Amino acid sequence: MQIPQHLYQDKYWRSALYLFMNQPSLRRCLTTKYFDLQGGIIKAVALKKLSKPWSPSEQFMLHLALHLFSSGLAKVNLADMDYLDSNNKALVHEALKIRFG
């Protein structure tokens, strides 16, 4: 999927895309089925439905990516980071820096 360059200038898009491009479960979802990049839309309902059988840590990563893009798309409990492995924790820290740094 080709990411339009202007999205990298937006901290909301950049933080969400960072997680979607670097986390294996999320990377598989970075398709036109779930994203309308020209229209500026992430299909959150469809992604949440897809993620129902995922592990709690994979669901956390999805919800965080959605939350970083738009806080109304998903609620996140940061205490759930306790369940993440070191790779996912590093991704979360970088995504938070992108969004809030």
Side-chain angles (χ1 to χ4, degrees):
M1 175 175 232
Q2 184 69 26
I3 309 293
Q5 274 307 115
H6 73 277
L7 295 181
Y8 290 111
Q9 305 306 313
D10 180 282
K11 65 183 179 180
Y12 303 97
W13 270 109
R14 197 168 69 239
S15 60
L17 287 171
Y18 175 81
L19 289 177
F20 275 99
M21 291 186 315
N22 290 289
Q23 205 284 333
S25 297
L26 298 183
R27 189 178 316 121
R28 291 190 300 270
C29 303
L30 191 54
T31 68
T32 56
K33 182 174 181 176
Y34 301 106
F35 287 83
D36 175 1
L37 297 178
Q38 300 305 323
I41 297 168
I42 298 176
K43 299 172 186 174
V45 173
L47 284 165
K48 288 178 187 178
K49 184 176 179 181
L50 174 71
S51 75
K52 285 194 183 288
W54 292 4
S55 72
S57 62
E58 291 168 319
Q59 288 181 3
F60 174 84
M61 296 300 285
L62 171 63
H63 289 168
L64 179 63
L66 295 173
H67 185 82
L68 291 173
F69 176 70
S70 175
S71 62
L73 293 181
K75 299 295 179 204
V76 175
N77 180 353
L78 290 179
D80 290 340
M81 282 183 61
D82 287 340
Y83 302 110
L84 300 180
D85 63 22
S86 60
N87 292 330
N88 280 323
K89 283 182 184 177
L91 291 173
V92 167
H93 290 167
E94 186 60 28
L96 291 171
K97 284 184 206 172
I98 292 168
R99 173 65 170 76
F100 298 105

